[in-house]
């Protein structure tokens, strides 16, 4: 542990609120717990540098004094990756004040942003330049692009535009020693050595600190149309997916699956969300078509592909948005599922992916197995079918309330995880598709990881962070 | 060096022609020189295992006896990455017989292929399944997918579909110790640890041996249309690019720039290639629009965007393909440039990229500087403008022939490289966009590399290949 005098040196590097000492509990409290209130920790101090030089200075100090560093962006993660442990030995390095948009280049279609810029502000900077930055997810108002890259975030536009990794051309990174790697180019093609960029992306801050990124922008579609479609089975939804991809190719920009219960919960808890279809169905698909020239062309392309799907018998019923208001109302059905599920009690979340060709059989067999082993729970299944990624979530029985019921439900988490994740592994899938490992999935991931891959990952960690100071205990066991 | 008895052990692992001994010069000769005849080496033996177990066995033997390994695919690289040095100590590990298509999944839109499958055979496997594998480059008939991944190959469809890295979902890799990492999933989303895949991609065989890959396929466009367009300047070509991207979005699948001299050389050496435009112009663009539903719709989209560009004054003249034959004839103009340039004597190649917003100023300033410093040479400039990637090539003066002229020309290579690559670096660009470093660009790349990045790359190499046996002297200095 550093001495008081050492802490004074660190304090001397900053003015005002850029360093919050650990002996000011009220000031540092928000940095010690995740937003769901699931993980609580303690810290020596919280540093909030507003320059890259400041980040380097903090890192040099931590390296010199062997102080573990927990990088934190918007602290909106679902896996506990940005919260310190309870030893109080670590420094929380918040990147939230490193939040400048450094460059917008409409000819190269790139922007350079610092790690602490919120995702919504990145989208906004692109929009002001007449371009699209397509990464889009529920926490976009408060999550930061640094955190999005550290966790390789996904969301609802991955089908067309890829995940955070696919949208990043270059990085600026501070190493555990406090050195700066300037890899912030805006090039689509560069084969001049090992791909360090992709090593930091998805590393959850365990190898170094991402301080800035060069990101790709896209032409902004002139208009979009959305449909809500009732289908009988996930298999029918997959038929519709293939048909839509063949017909619309890249104009298909979202393809989301939702179980009937998802929409019932939204209707129950968000009375302003109106269900546009009266046909009862066990599954629903929300699909979006974007068109470079107009919303009307997007609508007609969407209607045309749905006609073909109706004739083929894959679709029970469908509603197509005829205005921007209707489009947003349909999206609201999808976007409110998590909150509606939260209103039903505790949630056990699974963020899984399997090959798209195995998803229908996976859902059928796993849902039957869950129903048999845990007859008291309800499955709330939704997600990005076009990416093979489902949030295969679980809620307590209807009406189960109170602390005892919640405790009883959460006691099911480990055996439920084992059942679901074993099924995922058997289908060649991943137990963490877009939320990262953090502490939540760290040990489970190890259980399913190829042993050679695990040895290689430990070697990467040892090579980049030999003192083990970077976000210890996240992603890899300590 | 291993003893004769040790070599007998290796030979015992294989039957027939799967191991070619170094004392059979005729048999191993084709593996010791690159296809341009620029680099010649020697080898202890050439192993051509036809199973992954065979690759593991070779690697274990090499590791035990500390024998360097030079992995080789189609041996079509332009940077000398797949040829052994002249010590004769290394074993060449040819992957060409590891050439099975293991799986085609039309619902997941993926295929699993072994490293030795040629790129053309991968394209063919996708086509037979009614899908598109879009990686496309001149050597596709003989290069292998393993080599494409090891060098992160680019080509003419990167604008829309990305480079080899972007098309790969999972890898199977044999480590220097002969262990197998089974990372061959077909998932669009997987965040369960460090991104080992992207570390092997582009590593030019210096970290391990890629034995198989899981690749993405795309819906096959129903039709395409191509235009050849005359423009005044690269800046006008860029205006056209932006306009085309805004109008056609992802239906724009290629955007290639060519200087006037490129087309003159093609006309001179390939009399069957007819130039469809009579308007003289200093620069030409070949652009392609693909449509999911028909070639007629592709043509009309292309014509419509060209009309707008004509009205805006960015285009001097244009010819649009009206048939598949015409489309292929226009592509032939672009595809024959390298061969036509080869017929003009030796070529000094530069495979550069700069941000697209800086490419016009780069070309103007650098071409003026080359003309002043090397008045006797001719620039043959063409490439993938949509990716910011130019083959900024140089030929000797018109009519300069004979060995002395060739030697004099090649003596200009180092100072020409310095001029061009310094200008690239000043523009924030890369001196190796899609060809890799091999031995050709290894030392130059070091000159321009961020020192922190270099230290990190050495640490990666040390972590993955501590004995330095993997393709020594390629990508990184020995």
């Amino acid at each position: 542990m550093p001495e008081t005098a050492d802490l004074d040196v660190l304090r001397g590097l900053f003015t005002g609120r850029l360093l919050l000492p650990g002996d000011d509990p009220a000031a540092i409290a928000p940095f010690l717990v995740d937003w769901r209130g699931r993980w609580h920790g303690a810290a020596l101090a919280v540093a909030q540098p507003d320059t890259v030089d400041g980040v380097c200075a903090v890192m040099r100090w931590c390296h010199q004094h062997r102080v573990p560093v927990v990088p934190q962006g918007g602290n909106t993660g679902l896996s506990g990756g940005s919260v310190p442990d309870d030893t109080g030995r670590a420094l929380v390095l918040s990147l939230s004040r490193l939040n400048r948009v450094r460059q917008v280049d409409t000819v190269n279609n790139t922007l350079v942003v610092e790690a602490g810029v919120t995702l919504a502000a990145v989208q906004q900077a692109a929009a002001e330049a007449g371009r699209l930055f397509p990464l889009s997810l529920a926490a976009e108002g408060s999550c930061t692009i640094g955190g999005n890259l550290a966790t390789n975030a996904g969301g609802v536009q991955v089908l067309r535009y890829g995940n955070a990794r696919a949208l990043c051309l270059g990085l600026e990174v501070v190493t555990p020693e406090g050195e700066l790697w300037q890899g912030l180019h805006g090039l689509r093609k560069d084969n001049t050595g090992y791909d360090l960029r992709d090593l930091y992306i998805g590393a959850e801050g365990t190898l170094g600190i991402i301080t800035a990124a060069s990101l790709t922008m896209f032409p902004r579609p002139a208009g979009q149309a959305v449909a809500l479609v009732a289908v009988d089975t996930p298999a029918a939804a997959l038929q519709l997916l293939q048909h839509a991809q063949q017909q619309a190719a890249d104009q298909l920009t979202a393809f989301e699956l939702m179980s009937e219960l998802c929409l019932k919960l939204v209707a129950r808890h968000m009375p302003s969300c109106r269900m546009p279809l009266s046909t009862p169905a066990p599954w629903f698909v929300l699909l979006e078509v974007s068109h470079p020239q107009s919303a009307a062309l997007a609508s007609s392309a969407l209607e045309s592909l749905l006609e073909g799907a109706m004739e083929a018998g894959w679709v029970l019923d469908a509603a197509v948005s005829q205005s921007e208001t209707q489009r947003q109302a349909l999206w609201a059905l999808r976007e409110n599922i998590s909150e509606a599920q939260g209103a039903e009690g505790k949630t056990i979340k699974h963020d899984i992916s399997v090959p798209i060709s195995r998803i229908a059989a996976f859902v059928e067999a796993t849902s039957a197995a869950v129903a048999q082993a845990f007859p008291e729970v309800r499955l709330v299944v939704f997600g990005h079918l076009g990416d093979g990624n489902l949030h295969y979530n679980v809620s307590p029985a209807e009406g189960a309330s109170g602390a005892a019921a919640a405790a009883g439900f959460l006691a099911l988490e480990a055996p439920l995880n084992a059942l679901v994740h074993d099924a995922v592994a058997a289908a060649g899938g991943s137990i963490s598709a877009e939320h990262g490992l953090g502490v939540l999935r760290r040990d489970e991931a190890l259980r399913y990881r190829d042993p050679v891959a695990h040895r290689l990952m430990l070697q990467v960690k040892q090579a980049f962070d030999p003192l083990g100071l970077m976000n210890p205990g996240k992603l890899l066991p300590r």
Side-chain angles (χ1 to χ4, degrees), chain A residues 228-399:
Chain A
L228 185 73
V229 175
V231 296
D232 242 341
T233 58
L238 286 176
Q239 297 274 21
L240 176 61
L241 171 63
Q242 287 196 78
H243 171 70
Q245 287 185 314
Q246 188 59 53
Q247 289 290 305
D250 283 318
Q251 293 179 2
L252 183 70
T253 43
F255 198 98
E256 302 281 309
L257 182 72
M258 301 166 275
S259 68
E260 184 184 25
L261 180 56
C262 295
L263 294 188
K264 284 193 170 161
L265 297 183
V266 170
R268 177 182 298 170
H269 297 288
M270 284 82 188
S272 67
C273 287
R274 217 182 57 79
M275 176 67 189
L277 298 178
S278 52
T279 310
W283 294 94
F284 294 86
V285 168
L286 184 146
L287 72 167
E288 181 182 77
V289 169
S290 301
H291 199 282
Q293 282 150 23
S294 76
L297 288 169
S299 286
S300 72
L302 180 52
E303 281 161 8
S304 150
L305 80 83
L306 285 175
E307 268 171 41
M310 290 247 186
E311 281 164 25
W314 303 318
V315 166
L316 302 175
D317 195 2
V320 178
S321 68
Q322 300 299 335
S323 68
E324 180 60 18
T325 309
Q326 286 181 8
R327 189 180 80 84
Q328 290 182 11
L330 290 179
W331 264 116
L333 295 172
R334 165 67 183 83
E335 285 163 349
N336 279 297
I337 297 173
S338 280
E339 197 176 333
Q341 190 184 10
E344 293 279 308
K346 295 285 181 191
T347 298
I348 297 174
K349 289 181 190 282
H350 299 113
D351 168 38
I352 62 160
S353 66
V354 297
I356 298 170
S357 49
R358 303 182 73 165
I359 209 162
F362 168 85
V363 168
E364 189 177 350
T366 311
S367 301
V370 168
Q372 180 164 25
F374 306 93
E376 67 277 30
V377 305
R378 291 177 294 166
L379 284 169
V380 180
V381 177
F382 61 99
H384 320 296
L385 190 69
D387 313 322
N389 173 202
L390 291 182
H391 301 303
Y392 194 83
N393 288 356
V394 187
S395 278
E398 183 90 37

Side-chain angles (χ1 to χ4, degrees), chain A residues 74-120:
Chain A
N75 199 14
T76 61
L78 295 167
S79 305
S82 59
V83 178
D85 66 18
D86 57 9
T87 62
R89 289 187 60 240
L91 177 137
V92 173
L93 175 55
S94 167
L95 282 305
S96 58
R97 297 196 182 190
L98 197 70
N99 60 1
R100 289 164 204 82
V101 175
R102 290 193 196 161
Q103 190 198 53
V104 179
D105 182 339
T106 55
V107 177
N108 199 41
N109 271 337
T110 47
L111 34 79
V112 176
V113 295
E114 292 181 342
V117 179
T118 64
L119 176 52

Side-chain angles (χ1 to χ4, degrees), chain A residues 184-221:
Chain A
L184 211 51
H185 66 70
L187 305 173
R188 264 87 183 161
K189 286 182 175 174
D190 173 35
N191 281 339
T192 55
Y194 299 140
D195 181 11
L196 300 174
R197 174 192 64 196
D198 282 308
L199 210 42
Y200 289 108
I201 296 174
E204 303 186 22
T206 63
L207 301 178
I209 308 284
I210 294 172
T211 53
S214 176
L215 305 171
T216 48
M217 300 189 295
F218 291 81
R220 202 169 182 77

Side-chain angles (χ1 to χ4, degrees), chain A residues 19-31:
Chain A
L19 187 84
L20 305 171
D23 55 10
D24 184 351
I28 69 168
F31 299 90

